[in-house]
Structures are given as C-alpha cells and as structure tokens.
Amino acid sequence: MEDILASGKARAIGISNAGIPILEHLSKTWKVVPAVNQIENHPYNPEHELKKYCDEKGILIQAYSPLGSTGKSGAMAHAVSRCSRQARRCPRTPF
C-alpha cells in the first residue's frame, strides 16, 4: 500500500478493524502512518482505549454501525424514538 501511495495512485492509506496490538505490530514497519482506522464504534462499544491510541498516533477513527450492531440497534432505536418524542414536546430553538 505504501508503494501505491508513493506512486500517486492513492491519496491515503486506511485500515479496518485494527486493534492496539495490530497497530503496534504494524508501527514497527510502516513508513506511512495510516490515515484512518475503520472500526465498529457506538455507545455499546465505545473503544475508548483504541480511540486514545489512534489519537496519539494521528490516526482518525471512522465508525461503522454508529447506532449499534446487530442485537443492539433495537435498544438504540428505542432511545432515539424516546428523544424524538421529548423533542416534539419542547418549543423550537430560535435557529
């Protein structure tokens, strides 16, 4: 991937589902730090330590399943629905 980046055929390198052990292993040989790490990240799986590690290395986090994964999305949908009902009861903001 670094050769492809150097050739100009790619603008950035990204990785997916890499936890801290994988990133530490890769960091021993990479010449270019990945621009992004795509991970499952949502309120039921916040990945705080991985986020902190990536921040320290300058790697952005891109979340997939930001509203929850299979089995959890129902609970998240319920919370969103509850918030929506509450918002309808409140007067609108001036914006």
Side-chain angles (χ1 to χ4, degrees), residues 16-27:
S16 181
N17 297 317
I20 294 172
I22 293 171
L23 290 169
E24 286 179 341
H25 177 74
L26 291 173
S27 71

Side-chain angles (χ1 to χ4, degrees), residues 48-68:
H48 295 297
E49 290 300 314
L50 180 56
K51 170 75 167 99
K52 180 180 174 187
Y53 182 88
C54 287
D55 285 347
E56 291 169 359
K57 297 289 186 185
I59 302 170
L60 297 174
I61 294 291
Q62 180 183 23
Y64 67 80
S65 296
L67 296 179

